Amino acid sequence: MLLGLAALVLGLTHFTVPLSYYEYLKGFLKKPWGLKIDEEYSPSLSVIVPTYNESAIIEGRLEDIKNQSYSVEKLDIVVVDSASVDSTVDVVREWISRNPDVGVELVEEPVRKGKASALNTGLKHVNGDIVVLADADSLWDRFALREALKYFSDPSVGAVTSIKEPSGTNRNGYVGIELTYRSFYNTIRVAESKIHSTPVFNGEFAAFRRDLLIKMGGFSSDIGADDSHAATLMALGGHRAIAVPEAQAFELVPRSRKFYFAWRVRRAKHLIQHFSKALKWVSRAPSGFRGVLFTESFLHLVNPWILVSAFVALAASFFEGPTPLNVAIILAVAAILAVKRTRKIFSAWILNQAILAYSAISSIWSKELVWRKIDHWK
Ligand code: GDD
Ligand code: MN
């Protein structure tokens, strides 16, 4: 009975923390930003696109930036390629020659040292007041730049990211899982931003004040989640790092099971690295952000293990034999799984917890700061 009770308490703790946090956050969604925003503000900007073997999609990425509802005179693009072994640089060169109206610089690193390192190389080549990071495998809503950049008219804003929507053709497969998860994810990012800042940024669209980035020495090359980490450092320094609902980015979700899981595990590892480092600074975070950073660190680093412990306690309790309590727990889970909507959310959640737990362990032997290119179509 004691093991069953332990399973119940651990299980309830595991689910109560995120659910209460989510309910608490939802209350902030309609609150004002507490910022003075000039709708017409359009600073000069530099978009950095890091590439490694992106020949299939880099042209679409450049076209998409060019077609933004933002004056091309105000923007320049720096493509930083790290020794791609496909034709990425040829495609970029060719695009540059066909589009003389857009300022594009191609920077080629002779050796691949990872994305964060490439971003730091890119930083040496940018002139805009705002630096926007754009993963090659993402696309933006046409108004994303205009909508996101106006927030920088308030000097307290240091960084702005978009919300994101998964895209891809297999909507009943992994895109479906991502869609279930994203609606919560976007709500959480925006609500945290209303309070003060969000510690999770999206590489698909992440904008920073250039002077602040330079002052902090660029991106940390020992953290995979370079974007989230830089944003968090800005928030710790008192600036706002916000996700804004008007700016949307679309990211390609890998098709195959093998690539989908490799992608999820790598990203989870990167966030674990980020929170493990950021957690040390929670006490010096500005009020508002302190609670957000602490809770998110807990959710990424500790909460998955509470679920694992609950599961172990439940399994062990059955070795002692069925009791009214452990049988009731199984029936409660079965009831959740019986209803389509709760089944979808529950399984996406459990999968995420399993990935976080697995990633924490596999981080011990590989941090994946330089990672294998994922083919989205295979
Ligand atoms: N120059 C250069 N050098 N670019 C690289 C390298 C490298 O070693 N490795 C990856 N890139 C480029 C890719 O070509 C792509 O444009 C971008 O960096 C992101 O790489 P993906 O392989 O697509 O990463 P992801 O989608 O799993 O993760 C992204 O999103 C995360 C969450 O938003 C990355 O941006 C992560 O840093 C981010 O945390
Ligand atoms: Mn990607």
Side-chain angles (χ1 to χ4, degrees):
M1 195 73 172
L2 219 57
L3 280 169
L5 196 63
L8 180 70
V9 172
L10 289 165
L12 285 177
T13 311
H14 172 83
F15 287 103
T16 307
V17 176
L19 282 172
S20 340
Y21 184 54
Y22 187 68
E23 282 306 312
Y24 168 76
L25 286 179
K26 277 204 305 200
F28 287 88
L29 274 183
K30 292 217 159 69
K31 295 245 162 90
W33 284 99
L35 298 168
K36 211 168 163 292
I37 299 159
D38 170 2
E39 296 285 331
E40 302 304 316
Y41 187 68
S42 55
S44 64
L45 71 111
S46 301
V47 183
I48 302 183
V49 186
T51 57
Y52 178 71
N53 289 355
E54 301 289 10
S55 64
I57 47 178
I58 186 62
E59 186 173 348
R61 175 66 283 191
L62 295 171
E63 287 290 332
D64 185 67
I65 297 170
K66 181 183 170 174
N67 293 332
Q68 280 284 303
S69 70
Y70 208 86
S71 159
V72 281
E73 282 96 56
K74 286 224 165 139
L75 70 86
D76 58 69
I77 305 173
V78 178
V79 177
V80 188
D81 186 83
S82 307
S84 285
V85 293
D86 67 359
S87 59
T88 303
V89 295
D90 301 326
V91 177
V92 173
R93 277 204 203 95
E94 213 255 319
W95 195 88
I96 293 175
S97 67
R98 277 190 287 116
N99 293 275
D101 53 327
V102 191
V104 188
E105 184 182 356
L106 170 64
V107 180
E108 289 180 70
E109 291 193 307
V111 180
R112 181 181 186 204
K113 293 199 215 104
K115 182 191 162 207
S117 176
L119 295 178
N120 287 331
T121 301
L123 266 187
K124 297 186 190 127
H125 295 258
V126 298
N127 302 308
D129 290 339
I130 305 297
V131 173
V132 185
L133 310 182
D135 286 350
D137 57 350
S138 68
L139 292 174
W140 298 341
D141 176 83
R142 210 172 91 76
F143 301 102
L145 272 181
R146 196 184 76 194
E147 292 296 336
L149 268 54
K150 69 182 187 205
Y151 283 87
F152 284 104
S153 58
D154 188 306
S156 71
V157 173
V160 179
T161 193
S162 67
I163 56 169
K164 64 178 174 181
E165 290 301 324
S167 67
T169 47
N170 61 339
R171 296 180 84 79
N172 295 321
Y174 299 116
V175 179
I177 302 180
E178 292 297 302
L179 282 167
T180 308
Y181 167 68
R182 280 306 160 217
S183 58
F184 295 100
Y185 177 95
N186 286 334
T187 302
I188 293 168
R189 300 287 83 85
V190 174
E192 290 175 335
S193 307
K194 288 270 174 99
I195 297 175
H196 185 286
S197 295
T198 180
V200 181
F201 259 45
N202 302 320
E204 292 74 26
F205 184 116
F208 301 92
R209 271 186 209 283
R210 183 172 58 113
D211 55 348
L212 290 181
L213 270 182
I214 307 276
K215 213 154 79 192
M216 60 192 228
F219 296 92
S220 318
S221 44
D222 59 338
I223 303 282
D226 45 73
D227 29 44
S228 297
H229 204 65
T232 300
L233 288 175
M234 284 188 188
L236 286 166
H239 282 88
R240 300 272 297 270
I242 57 177
V244 299
E246 304 95 321
Q248 260 200 350
F250 305 91
E251 64 166 347
L252 273 174
V253 177
R255 281 186 67 88
S256 74
R257 179 190 300 173
K258 183 174 132 207
F259 281 138
Y260 178 72
F261 284 100
W263 182 70
R264 291 283 309 264
V265 166
R266 170 163 44 74
R267 289 175 162 212
K269 280 186 186 178
H270 289 173
L271 284 175
I272 290 169
Q273 290 156 14
H274 158 52
F275 281 113
S276 308
K277 196 157 175 189
L279 187 58
K280 298 185 192 120
W281 302 315
V282 162
S283 61
R284 61 169 229 228
S287 69
F289 186 52
R290 197 176 304 140
V292 168
L293 184 58
F294 181 77
T295 313
E296 286 291 359
S297 304
F298 174 85
L299 291 175
H300 283 84
L301 304 174
V302 182
N303 208 34
W305 296 103
I306 298 182
L307 182 67
V308 171
S309 315
F311 184 77
V312 171
L314 185 65
S317 79
F318 274 98
F319 278 104
E320 289 180 354
T323 64
L325 184 56
N326 60 18
V327 171
I329 296 174
I330 296 288
L331 289 176
V333 173
I336 293 172
L337 294 176
V339 181
K340 192 173 172 205
R341 177 160 164 78
T342 46
R343 177 172 62 235
K344 264 175 85 177
I345 299 173
F346 188 76
S347 18
W349 175 265
I350 299 292
L351 178 67
N352 200 26
Q353 302 309 300
I355 288 174
L356 280 167
Y358 173 78
S359 306
I361 296 172
S362 75
S363 283
I364 299 170
W365 60 87
S366 164
K367 290 180 86 179
E368 292 200 68
L369 297 174
V370 178
W371 58 86
R372 187 175 164 199
K373 158 84 190 145
I374 297 233
D375 191 326
H376 292 288
W377 288 276
K378 267 194 191 141

